[in-house]
Amino acid sequence: MTTDNPVGNYLGLVIGGSLNQGVDVLLDPEADIEGIGGGQQVVIQGKNMRFFGIITDITLQSTDQSIKTNPPDLSDPVMASITSKAAMYATIRVIMALTISGTISDSDPPKPARNIPNHFSKVYLASDEDINMVFGSEDQRHFWIGTPPDLESRVRLNLEEFVKRSNGVFGKSGTGKTFLTRLLLIGIVQKNTAVNLVFDMENEYGWAGSFEGPGSVKGLKNLFPSKVAVFSLDEYYSRRRNITPDYLVKIGYNEIEPEDIEILRENLNLSSVAADACYTLRDVYGKDNWIKKLIALDREALQELSNKNNLNLMALSTLQNRIRGLTRFSFLEEKSTGRLVEQILDNIDAGKHIVLEFGGFKDNLDAYILVTNLLTRRIHSMYAERADAAMGDESIMPKPLVITIEEAHKFLNQGIASQTVFGTIAREDRKRRVTLLIVDQRPSGIDDEVMSQLGTKLSCLLDNEKDVDSVMSGASGSRELRSVLSKLESKQQSLIFGHSVPMPIVVKVRDFGTPESYSTLMGPDEKPDTAETLEELEQDRQDFFGKE
Amino acid sequence: MVRLGDVIATSTGTFTAQCYELYHSPALGDLVKTNGHYPTFGVVYNIYTGGLDPTRKPTARGQNEEKEEDVYNNNPQLKHLLRTDFEAIIVGHKMGSEMLYHLPPVPPPIYSFVHTCDEEDTKPIISNMSVLRTLATSNLEAIEEVISAYIRNGFKYQLDNTEFLKTVGVHLISNLPGELKKVEYILKRVTR
Ligand SMILES: Nc1ncnc2c1ncn2[C@@H]1O[C@H](COP(=O)(O)OP(=O)(O)OP(=O)(O)O)[C@@H](O)[C@H]1O
Ligand SMILES: [Mg+2]
């Protein structure tokens, strides 16, 4: 390796450590300890190879234990100077992530580190050049997601790898999950590696406009009007905002299945007996009519039904009550008139990305869970059928589909993950072509098995122990990375690790919301793949900014 | 260069000299050197005055005198019955013209002459920090005071005393691990 490290990046020397727990580096007295942070990337020049690692801890030490209890007189400049020089020292702990044996090339990519550097190997902060070398350069798969703190270089995600597995975005409230997710979705649109289906509970991904007050930012539809279709559950909400959704969502009672009520059990506060009754009702009244019939029953009829089918009357009556509540949703109608699922699939086939806005049902978890579950179940089964039918023939395989859900623990908690379609998708192999992008602020609420199956995790600050544990489960070096995760900035900073990055890295997430950000994101930021998309993009630009 | 006395006892790491004149010893922490095959350099760490004959202790004589000097003036024989000795810890020696900062192969012989050191001898020794190690790691009594005095002597050859103290301090800390308070004590004595 010939890469020279800038002298200013010199940190110190390796003085000990282990592969599992990381190596200890004696910090050079000249190094600026306050400028060094957990999560920063470092490069270690070993004898035969270069190592990439991450700082996981910084420790102040002294050669003299009495310093703590009986410190010298530090008002004396000589004492102060010599004590800090000779009696105090700092070490940093670095876990090894990658090794590079020569110059990086496709035939010799960085490898996961299975070695550690020699004693007294020199350690440097990674430079922009190093980051670029490891995180790839601009191409059709790599999407710029952010920069390491204190550096300018771009950290890129391999979005082709990304969409092969289910992934997760985590972080406590207000840390930037939605912004990060939006960037990921934009990346997928831009790089054209999959089709998105976004269940947009808070109306944050599709449309947005200045009328929403300060702080509002553009959505996918604003940026890529010709590539995105917005489905809305709430006509009035859209109309109030002067937006015409591409489609209005109407769902018939006949499309609701017992499984849809089952997943709502906790939210509706239903006993399992009551939820189970749905299956009996379906058998009794038939799959198209059971809801319609149930909500129409009067007391006597309910009593009779209970006696006849040996169903608990109390449970039945609660169930009726709750389902009546659901049927008040304006997007539900007695008999489905539209072909919602077909419309969605048609759009997907046309290569369009879909954002399903909940409009005025924002924050209504019942509506969100009901619709998301119902649609995902049906789309997944049709998609999987097609994928299976293609029997691995790439030319007729459907394009990978990424389904984005917020409040993911509602769909994937320990109790239901094994029964819901979401659990199935998260666990099933990538040949089915459907994956999830789950967004959640309480990852500990999500089934462990699902968490450990996620391909790439992007986590903003988490401070709850359990949440940190669940995000780190299964990651190598997780014990050391934990501390990095709980010390991220409170906004717009994320630890990314997993299949689509060569090594774990902390990034300051790319700015979103400024005119420059829009223009780089929607423009041919990094060479679009075909002339056609270039034209489309240009069209989108003009729609957005007006003709120059 | 002043001749101070003769070596009267010697061992691997230290030597003792008797002064030619009562009380005419070098000061604590001073550098001295011996003649001989291997001119040997030492730092004075102990000064002792007592009876010439160790079996006969001096007795008090001042009761009827006005002033202290009168004790000596009225008893001129005392100058010959008392003696002053000093002891030095060896910090280096010369091999030909080369200064080496470790012990000579053999200590200076008895009756080697002992001299004060001039600037030419002192300067390089003072700026050689390994001397501090020899001093700091010896187990001699009151060595802290000796080191303080030794460092203070070095001041006259420095352009910047503070810088010198810092350099010295860093070396002392690394040679006295875990004994920061001792180092602080030594450095305080240098300036106060
Ligand atoms: N990449 C970014 N560019 C610009 N601003 C950002 C970015 N990330 C976060 N922010 C700022 O942080 C605020 C919170 O971000 P966001 O809404 O994404 O958080 P969240 O984690 O989704 O919160 P909640 O849990 O409430 O949904 C945003 O309104 C924005 O001001
Ligand atoms: Mg959010």
Side-chain angles (χ1 to χ4, degrees), chain A residues 64 67 70-73 81-82, chain B residues 166 178-181 184 187:
Chain A
D64 191 327
I67 281 185
N70 192 6
D73 173 13
S81 155
I82 64 169
Chain B
K166 286 183 185 170
E179 297 191 87
L180 196 59
K181 276 283 148 186
E184 187 176 22
L187 294 183

Side-chain angles (χ1 to χ4, degrees), chain A residues 331-541:
Chain A
F331 56 83
L332 287 183
E333 54 190 7
E334 227 175 82
K335 179 115 186 62
S336 78
T337 46
R339 335 165 10 253
L340 178 59
V341 175
E342 287 78 3
Q343 276 169 348
I344 292 178
L345 283 172
D346 288 348
N347 272 285
I348 290 176
D349 288 342
K352 288 212 179 180
H353 303 266
I354 292 162
V355 178
L356 201 141
E357 280 196 340
F358 280 71
F361 299 101
K362 173 177 168 160
D363 297 327
N364 186 325
L365 270 173
D366 294 347
Y368 189 65
I369 296 173
L370 178 68
V371 173
T372 303
N373 188 48
L374 189 147
L375 288 178
T376 304
R377 198 157 33 73
R378 308 183 80 194
I379 288 166
H380 170 253
S381 80
M382 295 177 81
Y383 225 77
E385 233 167 70
R386 288 204 216 165
D388 291 346
M391 297 208 299
D393 179 350
E394 279 297 326
S395 63
I396 50 171
M397 275 296 249
K399 204 162 179 188
L401 174 65
V402 175
I403 298 179
T404 301
I405 53 174
E406 297 240 8
E407 300 288 337
H409 62 274
K410 293 284 176 191
F411 303 96
L412 289 164
N413 62 46
Q414 278 83 351
I416 55 175
S418 55
Q419 295 146 40
T420 66
V421 60
F422 302 98
T424 313
I425 298 177
R427 271 178 279 111
E428 94 192 336
D429 66 289
R430 52 172 123 154
K431 292 196 199 75
R432 306 302 277 276
R433 294 284 167 135
V434 184
T435 55
L436 297 176
L437 175 55
I438 65 185
V439 185
D440 207 308
Q441 54 176 310
R442 294 305 315 266
S444 59
I446 296 175
D447 187 53
D448 291 343
E449 199 198 327
V450 171
M451 286 301 286
S452 65
Q453 293 282 329
L454 297 179
T456 301
K457 293 174 189 165
L458 301 95
S459 184
C460 303
L461 175 68
L462 281 171
D463 48 16
N464 177 295
E465 287 272 315
K466 279 205 207 135
D467 289 330
V468 174
D469 279 343
S470 99
V471 169
M472 297 316 304
S473 73
S476 70
S478 58
R479 227 169 39 121
E480 284 70 27
L481 285 177
R482 288 178 55 103
S483 64
V484 172
L485 189 53
S486 53
K487 290 186 187 58
L488 292 173
E489 302 261 312
S490 65
K491 254 195 183 103
Q492 215 182 334
Q493 232 188 42
S494 172
L495 171 68
I496 306 179
F497 59 99
H499 288 280
S500 44
V501 280
M503 66 185 283
I505 185 163
V506 173
V507 300
K508 176 184 175 289
V509 176
R510 185 170 172 178
D511 264 325
F512 185 81
T514 57
E516 305 87 273
S517 70
Y518 295 144
S519 107
T520 51
L521 282 166
M522 65 196 292
D525 169 38
E526 305 167 7
K527 293 173 246 120
D529 33 0
T530 61
E532 182 196 30
T533 42
L534 191 66
E535 241 164 60
E536 260 176 40
L537 284 169
E538 187 46 40
Q539 189 57 47
D540 287 351
R541 266 166 93 89

